[in-house]
Amino acid sequence: IFDIYRKVPKDLTQPTYTGAFISILCCVFILFLFLSELTGFIATDIVNELYVDDPDKDSGGKIDVSLNISLPNLHCDLVGLDIQDEMGRHEVGHIDNSMKIPLNQGYGCRFEGEFTINKVPGNFHVSTHSATAQPQNPDMTHTIHKLSFGEKLQVQKVQGAFNALGGADRLSSNPLASHDYILKIVPTVYEDLSGRQRFSYQYTVANKEYVAYSHTGRIIPAIWFRYDLSPITVKYTERRQPFYRFITTICAIVGGTFTVAGIIDSCIFTASEAWKKIQIGKMS
């Protein structure tokens, strides 16, 4: 018991095929776990939260809108965009940053426009109100290619209703019917790893179709987009696992794997030696 030059156990010095096999499995297992942790460390997670606030205070109370809609049976000379809201804005025939593209040999029209709205309830609508002469039977059947608010977000991990009306097809509707799209706009903030914020808006939509009449007869149909803003803001934040946690996990993987592998190898070696002794005892 006083020997300071104690012998190393035989299972740590005597090479065996079992030990070699366990060592190879151990290295493969460590490599697999290391690559998995490395992938998780490099990748970013998206964390979302809700709060009550106006996130884009530098916008001056404005929201950018992008609209792309086709009316295949209404001439471009008749198509116009009107904007009005509860702050008193009433604009008929908005033409800034807009373009009309003839369709169906001039019988139809594709309207593309970018404009701003105030952060108050209101509406904008596509109609013939700005035309110099009103048609007898305007055909308001349409297809909406795009309706979005704020900056465009192209983030794979963020699945939201940023273009909820994209692809809406009303070509089989009553040509003389008006269409009401009631939008609930939700402010959305995306913050990347560098701290840069982008401001966009998601929205939910409900719609109805109707032919309106007054005491003077049928009312001129239009495509209405009536909107209201939600006080709740959705924020998406990019986050990455801290480096110290990555190093701690790697050390735990390497140390734990070698420890468990050593225990398994020692048990197998001990059992093998005991079995050999039993066989020798039987032979003697």
Side-chain angles (χ1 to χ4, degrees):
I1 61 174
F2 299 104
D3 185 4
I4 62 174
Y5 302 103
R6 302 187 67 178
K7 303 300 184 292
V8 178
K10 290 177 63 178
D11 62 310
L12 299 180
T13 58
Q14 182 174 333
T16 62
Y17 289 110
T18 303
F21 179 72
I22 293 176
S23 298
I24 293 173
L25 286 181
C26 179
C27 292
V28 172
F29 186 67
I30 289 175
L31 180 61
F32 170 74
L33 292 181
F34 172 78
L35 293 177
S36 299
E37 285 297 323
L38 182 62
T39 303
F41 173 72
I42 294 175
T44 57
D45 293 327
I46 305 297
V47 180
N48 62 76
E49 58 180 311
L50 303 176
Y51 60 92
V52 179
D53 193 12
D54 178 11
D56 190 10
K57 296 183 176 64
D58 298 329
S59 64
K62 304 287 186 180
I63 300 176
D64 294 326
V65 183
S66 179
L67 175 64
N68 189 330
I69 184 172
S70 292
L71 297 93
N73 302 309
L74 195 63
H75 196 279
C76 282
D77 291 341
L78 302 174
V79 175
L81 176 69
D82 310 326
I83 307 171
Q84 58 189 33
D85 59 37
E86 292 186 0
M87 291 184 68
R89 181 182 184 182
H90 192 178
E91 185 175 349
V92 179
H94 179 88
I95 58 174
D96 295 338
N97 299 320
S98 62
M99 178 171 55
K100 300 177 184 179
I101 304 171
L103 300 176
N104 299 337
Q105 299 179 347
Y107 290 102
C109 186
R110 178 167 179 154
F111 179 86
E112 300 179 10
E114 294 184 355
F115 53 96
T116 61
I117 57 175
N118 295 316
K119 291 184 178 180
V120 295
N123 73 80
F124 52 91
H125 53 276
V126 177
S127 67
T128 62
H129 297 163
S130 61
T132 54
Q134 294 297 316
Q136 290 295 323
N137 296 305
D139 188 336
M140 302 308 291
T141 56
H142 61 279
T143 299
I144 301 174
H145 306 288
K146 177 184 179 183
L147 175 61
S148 61
F149 300 87
E151 295 184 53
K152 184 177 181 180
L153 295 182
Q154 291 182 326
V155 183
Q156 293 183 351
K157 293 185 179 181
V158 176
Q159 303 295 330
F162 296 98
N163 185 23
L165 276 174
D169 189 332
R170 300 293 182 268
L171 297 179
S172 59
S173 301
N174 184 345
L176 300 178
S178 291
H179 299 265
D180 262 14
Y181 295 100
I182 292 81
L183 314 178
K184 195 69 173 182
I185 302 175
V186 182
T188 304
V189 183
Y190 184 83
E191 183 176 322
D192 58 23
L193 289 173
S194 65
R196 176 176 174 265
Q197 292 185 338
R198 283 178 284 175
F199 303 96
S200 186
Y201 296 84
Q202 303 181 62
Y203 62 92
T204 59
V205 58
N207 68 285
K208 64 178 179 178
E209 174 186 334
Y210 58 93
V211 178
Y213 292 89
S214 68
H215 63 279
T216 58
R218 179 171 49 81
I219 298 176
I220 298 174
I223 305 170
W224 298 82
F225 301 92
R226 307 181 192 274
Y227 60 86
D228 193 5
L229 273 78
S230 169
I232 302 297
T233 295
V234 180
K235 183 177 182 180
Y236 297 98
T237 307
E238 280 189 356
R239 291 182 182 175
R240 178 172 287 166
Q241 179 182 343
F243 184 69
Y244 72 86
R245 186 175 298 173
F246 171 70
I247 295 297
T248 303
T249 305
I250 295 302
C251 292
I253 288 173
V254 175
T257 303
F258 273 119
T259 300
V260 173
I263 293 173
I264 294 174
D265 182 56
S266 177
C267 292
I268 294 175
F269 182 83
T270 303
S272 175
E273 289 295 309
W275 178 253
K276 288 180 182 179
K277 291 180 180 179
I278 292 173
Q279 294 297 321
I280 293 174
K282 287 182 179 181
M283 292 178 62
S284 62

